[in-house]
């Protein structure tokens, strides 16, 4: 393992911060940042903003100009080696005559996967890999999971009273959580490639399930122009063809993919005659290049996704309310028979959003 200096850590941290500038815009491409230094001074920096546009290294090299000769480049992802929508960054770094490249992690894209590093080394450039690797990998959970497994990263959102209930026995449920929590949801939607829901949820709430500029937090409105933010693709499971054309879903901005017998995504049924969720997610990742799925639906879909170990992260909002056990709970049956099978969570973040509590947790005992 290479020895990295404190300047190295500082510069890679800067590159990681820069990369975050693309969280709402780069999909299906990864978020990547780059800093170029000479004599420990920053001479260039940049990040990837949108698929089809220049990669992080190109922006940083343009800014550095002649000063890239003999410089060190810090990149959060291995520089690419392939002609995609843009020419290979490894070639750009070689032409710019940098002396050293430090990357946080390898690119899991099979078109790159170490070839970028090899190209640089073959050209006599010193390359080191692994600086702040975990932090850099955390920039792109969806891209990495899609490249490595052919499945998207799945975040499941749920909202409930403090005692875990979501609706009264008579079905009344709307607005358990505060407007601030709903604004927070808008921000998560804006980061994701797709929103997954069911025809039941869409019909009950007449939900448009898209990103509404006016409801996004001000910090996002100030930083991004309305036209730059992408709408996630709305993916609706509709096994029984219940969706009707009058629904808001069909009259609001954003693409739609209906999963049904004759829908844009052909459904495959499992043994229980339910839509095969893994096959659906695989189709989204592999045919539609979706890295990151945000799920907003009811207890049935939530339970199935958890049972099938397809969820990576839970985003739970708890409102300071009590609803009692004659209400409906967050999840349906999980069929657990032993305490050793209980789903263990790792809490990643807890905070108050408006009046509510938000918990972000990953699933600890996931087998894949
Ligand atoms: C880099 N620097 O900033 C990014 C990289 O379609 P293209 O040409 O944009 O290529 C996309 C692929 O390039 C993407 O799948 C990933 O492997 C790599 N992304 N590489 O050197 C960057 N965004
Ligand atoms: Zn590149």
């Amino acid at each position: 393992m290479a020895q990295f200096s404190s300047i190295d850590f500082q510069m890679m941290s800067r590159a990681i911060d820069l990369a975050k500038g693309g969280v709402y815009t780069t999909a299906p491409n990864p978020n990547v940042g780059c800093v170029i230094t000479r004599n420990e001074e920053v001479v260039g920096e940049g990040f990837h903003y949108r698929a089809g546009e220049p990669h992080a290294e190109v922006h940083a090299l343009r800014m550095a100009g002649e000063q890239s000769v003999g410089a060190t480049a810090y990149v959060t992802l291995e520089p690419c080696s392939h002609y995609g929508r843009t020419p290979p960054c490894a070639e750009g770094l070689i032409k710019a005559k940098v002396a050293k490249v430090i990357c946080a992690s390898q690119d899991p894209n099979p078109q790159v996967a170490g070839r970028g590093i090899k190209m640089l080394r073959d050209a006599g450039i010193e390359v080191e890999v692994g600086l702040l690797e975990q932090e850099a990998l955390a920039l792109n959970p969806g891209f990495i999971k899609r490249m490595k497994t052919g499945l998207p990263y799945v975040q499941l959102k749920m909202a409930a009273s403090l005692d875990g209930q979501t609706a009264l026995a008579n079905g009344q449920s709307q607005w358990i959580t505060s407007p601030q929590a709903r604004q927070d949801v808008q921000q998560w939607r804006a980061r994701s490639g797709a929103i997954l829901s069911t025809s039941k949820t869409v019909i009950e709430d007449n939900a448009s399930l898209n990103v509404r500029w006016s409801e996004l937090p001000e910090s996002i409105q100030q930083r991004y122009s309305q036209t730059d933010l992408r709408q996630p693709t709305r993916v609706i499971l509709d096994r029984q063809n219940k969706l009707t054309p009058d629904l808001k879903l069909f009259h609001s901005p954003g693409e739609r993919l209906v999963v049904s017998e004759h829908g844009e995504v052909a459904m495959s049924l499992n043994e229980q005659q339910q839509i095969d969720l893994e096959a659906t997610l695989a189709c989204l990742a592999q045919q539609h290049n979706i890295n990151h799925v945000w799920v907003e639906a009811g207890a049935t879909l939530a339970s199935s996704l958890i049972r099938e170990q397809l969820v990576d992260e839970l985003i739970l909002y708890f409102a300071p309310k009590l609803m009692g056990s004659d209400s409906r709970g967050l999840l349906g049956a999980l069929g657990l028979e032993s305490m050793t099978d209980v789903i263990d969570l790792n809490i990643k973040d807890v905070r108050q959003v408006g009046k509510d509590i938000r918990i972000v947790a990953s699933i600890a005992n996931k087998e894949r």
Side-chain angles (χ1 to χ4, degrees):
M1 177 82 178
Q3 287 292 309
F4 296 112
S5 69
S6 66
I7 291 282
D8 290 339
F9 278 95
Q10 204 179 310
M11 295 303 168
M12 191 61 90
S13 300
R14 171 78 188 138
I16 289 171
D17 277 347
L18 286 165
K20 291 176 186 162
V23 289
Y24 298 102
T25 48
T26 62
N29 275 1
N31 294 298
V32 183
C34 177
V35 170
I36 297 178
T37 65
R38 243 177 82 153
N39 305 322
E40 305 193 336
E41 296 278 329
V42 175
V43 292
E45 53 179 36
F47 64 94
H48 185 50
Y49 189 64
R50 195 167 20 206
E53 292 181 9
H55 287 180
E57 297 89 322
V58 174
H59 289 296
L61 285 171
R62 274 185 200 155
M63 183 172 158
E66 292 294 301
Q67 299 191 85
S68 64
V69 179
T72 300
Y74 296 84
V75 200
T76 58
L77 188 74
E78 169 185 4
C80 64
S81 52
H82 66 299
Y83 282 85
R85 280 165 282 204
T86 64
C89 291
E91 207 173 273
L93 290 161
I94 295 167
K95 281 193 189 144
K97 298 194 170 64
V98 304
K100 183 169 174 178
V101 174
I102 302 184
C103 15
S105 70
Q106 269 209 20
D107 187 344
N109 183 349
Q111 288 180 292
V112 185
R115 287 189 197 90
I117 293 169
K118 185 170 185 307
M119 267 172 84
L120 293 167
R121 288 199 173 127
D122 287 351
I125 295 175
E126 185 186 345
V127 183
E128 280 167 12
V129 187
L131 174 59
L132 292 179
E133 182 165 19
Q134 291 313 313
E135 290 79 353
L137 292 175
L139 290 167
N140 297 302
F143 174 77
I144 293 165
K145 190 173 174 200
R146 172 166 71 91
M147 288 295 162
K148 288 196 165 166
T149 67
L151 286 171
Y153 189 79
V154 175
Q155 287 179 316
L156 172 62
K157 174 245 163 178
M158 293 190 282
S161 60
L162 262 192
D163 57 338
Q165 306 299 99
T166 59
L168 295 179
N170 64 17
Q172 272 186 43
S173 70
Q174 273 205 316
W175 315 141
I176 291 180
T177 51
S178 62
Q180 287 90 337
R182 296 199 293 278
Q183 189 180 48
D184 193 58
V185 165
Q186 282 286 319
Q187 164 270 129
W188 291 100
R189 284 183 181 177
R191 286 166 182 252
S192 53
I195 298 178
L196 177 65
S197 193
T198 60
S199 51
K200 182 168 182 283
T201 297
V202 167
I203 292 166
E204 275 175 10
D205 304 347
N206 197 7
S208 23
L209 291 177
N210 62 359
V211 174
R212 290 179 290 278
W213 176 255
S214 59
E215 292 173 33
L216 283 168
E218 253 177 46
S219 56
I220 300 181
Q221 292 180 349
Q222 280 159 5
R223 181 147 188 198
Y224 300 88
S225 81
Q226 188 165 358
T227 46
D228 275 7
L229 290 188
R230 57 169 196 276
Q231 282 291 348
T233 302
R234 284 123 354 130
V235 181
I236 314 300
L237 306 178
D238 188 24
R239 182 169 56 101
Q240 295 170 326
N241 301 311
K242 287 193 173 151
L243 293 176
T244 50
D246 55 307
L247 289 163
K248 269 196 204 159
L249 176 83
F250 295 103
H251 304 279
S252 44
E255 274 184 53
R256 284 160 296 264
L257 295 173
V258 175
V259 185
S260 64
E261 199 180 344
H262 303 293
E264 293 84 5
V265 173
M267 65 177 182
S268 49
L269 296 179
N270 60 20
E271 282 167 12
Q272 290 80 41
Q273 297 304 302
Q274 302 291 339
I275 293 182
D276 185 327
L277 296 173
E278 181 167 346
T280 305
L281 290 170
C283 171
L284 296 180
Q286 295 168 30
Q287 317 287 324
H288 299 274
N289 292 332
I290 287 169
N291 291 331
H292 179 162
V293 173
W294 171 256
V295 186
E296 279 189 58
T300 310
L301 180 62
S303 312
S304 302
L305 286 167
I306 289 179
R307 250 194 336 260
E308 294 179 37
Q309 305 208 28
L310 293 167
V311 176
D312 295 285
E313 203 170 79
L314 298 173
I315 287 74
L316 302 166
Y317 296 90
F318 289 105
K321 294 181 175 150
L322 299 172
M323 292 171 73
S325 71
D326 49 343
S327 301
R328 301 181 191 175
L330 265 182
L331 291 175
L334 291 177
L336 305 176
E337 285 173 4
S338 152
M339 277 310 282
T340 55
D341 296 335
V342 166
I343 312 230
D344 277 325
L345 306 177
N346 283 327
I347 293 185
K348 293 174 149 180
D349 184 70
V350 181
R351 69 180 65 180
Q352 190 165 344
V353 177
K355 287 183 175 170
D356 307 317
I357 292 172
R358 186 189 82 188
I359 298 180
V360 178
S362 58
I363 300 202
N365 51 351
K366 202 161 161 265
E367 276 159 24
R368 55 178 177 189

